Amino acid sequence: MTTNDLAIIISTYFSLGLQYEEIIGLLAQRHNVILSMRTLKRRLASYGLYRRKNFSDVFQVAMFIFEQLKSSGCLHGYRWMHSRCLQNGFIVQKEMVRILLGILDPSGVAARVKRKLKRRHYRSKGPNYIWHLDSYDKLKPYGICVNGCIDGFSRFIIWLRVGRSNNNPRIVAGFYVEALTSLERVPHSIRSDMGTENSYIAEMQSFLRRNGPGSRTAFLYGTSQHNQRIESWWGILRKECVQFWMEFFEQMKQDGYFTGDFIDKSLIQYFFMDIIRRELENVVETWNAHRIRKSKHCDINGRPMVLYQAPFLKGTEDYSLPLDNVELNACAEECDFEDSDCDNDILDLADILMEENSWTKTRDPYDRATLYLQMRDNNKTKFIIQYWFY
């Protein structure tokens, strides 16, 4: 590993808000780099990275938060928003973020103060001992389907994917195969509900684990109450991201701009799928790097990414098992991997209209909504759609 590579890795971990002990643990576990606390601090100083000095300009931080509040960031509390600031290169104290949120979004702060969360007591032996997977259907009426998987011990998000369907077991199995390919291991167990979309994963997990210890419990079906890790995390996802989009699309529906037919769903997918995917990636990044506080309802506290990747810090181990790449490739042949955000015919038509009218996509969801309405009401769009689909 070169000096520049090491600098990038250390800077990335620092920007995620990890403590020095956690950075040292991850460097040793994931990169085989052993650094002392003194050496790490000296390197951070040489990179110009500090926690308590060289703070970012408050106005720039406020403008960043203001931009976040225009989208699903309006759902974030100050701890989550502080993590987002750190990950975007700002050096700012958590208290300053709390004050700025109180100024920029007083109604949002007041609404969050009233909410309370009840937690179930849960135990798992270690990372990759059991994964919990499920599909999330709150945006499904608009053609946006979400599927996710979380590690039971660390609460590390294994995958959170958005696509046109979460009912097709071949597509959901593709998420599973991609996760195993990245991990290069197979989890001890997986738990899900009785949904048919999980049938291929059940068969693949049982196949890959057929000769290992505890093969009878390689895949577990159960009710949502027993799948509580992912079920409870959906509440976090809704609070930090999805609630904005539910209200956004519901308003379009109430205004008569969304009927739920194939064309409207396809245009929603065309204009909004990539924004929502990016926001979900931000949610995962922030969640995996945030600190889970101590609680009487939970035995394990810490950052999900550290708990997952460096379990020895908590006195446990990785429970994943070896993976046969030949068998994994055989499983991959049974999967479908979506290559576009919407129907290919609609995609081609929309691209043509975007180019003809010199329309451009911005990251602002309200600008996208304007483009959606313009394309939906375009006479040429109506003619071509009527010709192609009716």
Side-chain angles (χ1 to χ4, degrees):
M1 179 183 297
T2 66
T3 302
N4 288 337
D5 291 338
L6 181 58
I8 292 173
I9 292 171
I10 292 176
S11 300
T12 300
Y13 286 150
F14 182 87
S15 69
L16 292 175
L18 273 61
Q19 294 182 346
Y20 296 155
E21 295 85 353
E22 295 170 333
I23 295 176
I24 291 172
L26 288 177
L27 287 174
Q29 181 72 11
R30 296 191 64 194
H31 309 286
N32 295 320
V33 175
I34 307 300
L35 293 182
S36 66
M37 181 67 70
R38 184 176 179 180
T39 300
L40 176 62
K41 290 182 178 179
R42 186 171 65 249
R43 285 181 176 272
L44 288 172
S46 69
Y47 305 152
L49 300 177
Y50 302 94
R51 296 288 192 203
R52 295 183 175 85
K53 62 180 180 178
N54 296 341
F55 291 116
S56 300
D57 182 72
V58 175
F59 178 76
Q60 293 181 352
V61 176
M63 290 303 298
F64 172 77
I65 294 175
F66 181 75
E67 289 299 319
Q68 296 295 301
L69 293 174
K70 291 181 179 180
S71 185
S72 60
C74 64
L75 305 174
H76 299 345
Y78 75 93
R79 294 184 182 87
W80 193 283
M81 188 64 76
H82 179 252
S83 296
R84 296 290 305 126
C85 289
L86 293 180
Q87 291 166 10
N88 283 271
F90 293 101
I91 301 176
V92 60
Q93 293 178 321
K94 192 178 296 184
E95 179 65 14
M96 178 58 68
V97 174
R98 187 186 69 82
I99 293 172
L100 289 174
L101 269 181
I103 297 172
L104 298 173
D105 188 27
S107 59
V109 172
R112 286 189 291 272
V113 167
K114 297 178 181 179
R115 298 179 182 176
K116 294 182 179 179
L117 178 65
K118 293 184 178 180
R119 302 184 182 275
R120 294 178 178 268
H121 196 68
Y122 179 96
R123 289 188 179 91
S124 179
K125 292 183 178 181
N128 296 317
Y129 182 76
I130 185 167
W131 289 359
H132 298 265
L133 68 92
D134 192 23
S135 293
Y136 188 67
D137 296 336
K138 295 300 182 182
L139 298 179
K140 193 172 182 178
Y142 310 101
I144 307 294
C145 302
V146 179
N147 185 271
C149 180
I150 188 171
D151 177 63
F153 171 80
S154 62
R155 286 150 286 185
F156 180 85
I157 303 301
I158 306 298
W159 74 73
L160 184 66
R161 303 292 294 274
V162 60
R164 288 180 280 161
S165 171
N166 56 14
N167 289 336
N168 187 337
R170 291 179 179 271
I171 293 176
V172 178
F175 304 152
Y176 167 77
V177 167
E178 289 176 350
L180 296 195
T181 302
S182 175
L183 183 62
E184 298 181 345
R185 306 272 289 182
V186 61
H188 181 277
S189 301
I190 294 180
R191 177 180 286 279
S192 78
D193 58 27
M194 298 293 289
T196 56
E197 72 273 13
N198 302 317
S199 58
Y200 273 50
I201 294 182
E203 294 176 5
M204 293 177 183
Q205 173 73 3
S206 300
F207 169 66
L208 295 173
R209 287 270 290 104
R210 66 191 184 283
N211 297 322
S215 57
R216 291 185 178 181
T217 59
F219 193 92
L220 303 170
Y221 279 114
T223 62
S224 296
Q225 290 87 340
H226 292 97
N227 206 23
Q228 62 202 59
R229 264 295 190 249
I230 187 68
E231 292 288 350
S232 64
W233 195 81
W234 290 140
I236 302 294
L237 180 64
R238 177 168 179 169
K239 175 184 174 184
E240 302 297 343
C241 178
V242 173
Q243 184 65 41
F244 170 83
W245 292 104
M246 291 171 60
E247 295 173 358
F248 184 86
F249 292 137
E250 180 62 25
Q251 187 62 54
M252 293 175 62
K253 182 178 179 180
Q254 291 180 4
D255 292 342
Y257 301 131
F258 179 83
T259 62
D261 64 13
F262 171 76
I263 304 303
D264 283 356
K265 284 185 178 181
S266 296
L267 292 178
I268 288 286
Q269 292 166 349
Y270 178 79
F271 282 109
F272 297 101
M273 186 81 80
D274 61 323
I275 296 182
I276 295 175
R277 180 180 292 109
R278 190 182 306 116
E279 291 201 354
L280 294 186
E281 291 171 353
N282 290 336
V283 169
V284 170
E285 181 180 359
T286 303
W287 171 264
N288 283 342
H290 95 296
R291 175 172 291 279
I292 299 174
R293 293 171 292 169
K294 292 183 179 180
S295 169
K296 64 181 179 180
H297 302 292
C298 184
D299 298 332
I300 302 297
N301 66 289
R303 302 180 193 275
M305 66 177 296
V306 177
L307 293 172
Y308 184 76
Q309 296 169 352
F312 63 88
L313 295 175
K314 291 297 181 179
T316 185
E317 60 182 287
D318 185 343
Y319 281 83
S320 64
L321 299 165
L323 178 65
D324 187 312
N325 288 328
V326 174
E327 294 180 349
L328 181 62
N329 291 335
C331 292
E333 293 178 358
E334 300 298 321
C335 300
D336 286 342
F337 301 94
E338 289 187 340
D339 56 358
S340 63
D341 288 340
C342 67
D343 178 83
N344 289 328
D345 290 333
I346 297 294
L347 176 64
D348 293 338
L349 170 62
D351 284 341
I352 292 172
L353 292 174
M354 290 288 289
E355 183 176 356
E356 286 185 353
N357 293 280
S358 300
W359 293 335
T360 58
K361 295 181 181 179
T362 69
R363 292 190 176 185
D364 190 322
Y366 297 98
D367 288 345
R368 295 285 185 103
T370 300
L371 291 177
Y372 165 83
L373 296 179
Q374 289 176 331
M375 186 171 292
R376 183 176 184 268
D377 296 335
N378 185 282
N379 290 329
K380 188 172 183 179
T381 305
K382 293 179 180 179
F383 173 78
I384 296 177
I385 288 175
Q386 195 173 33
Y387 177 76
W388 279 5
F389 298 99
Y390 301 103

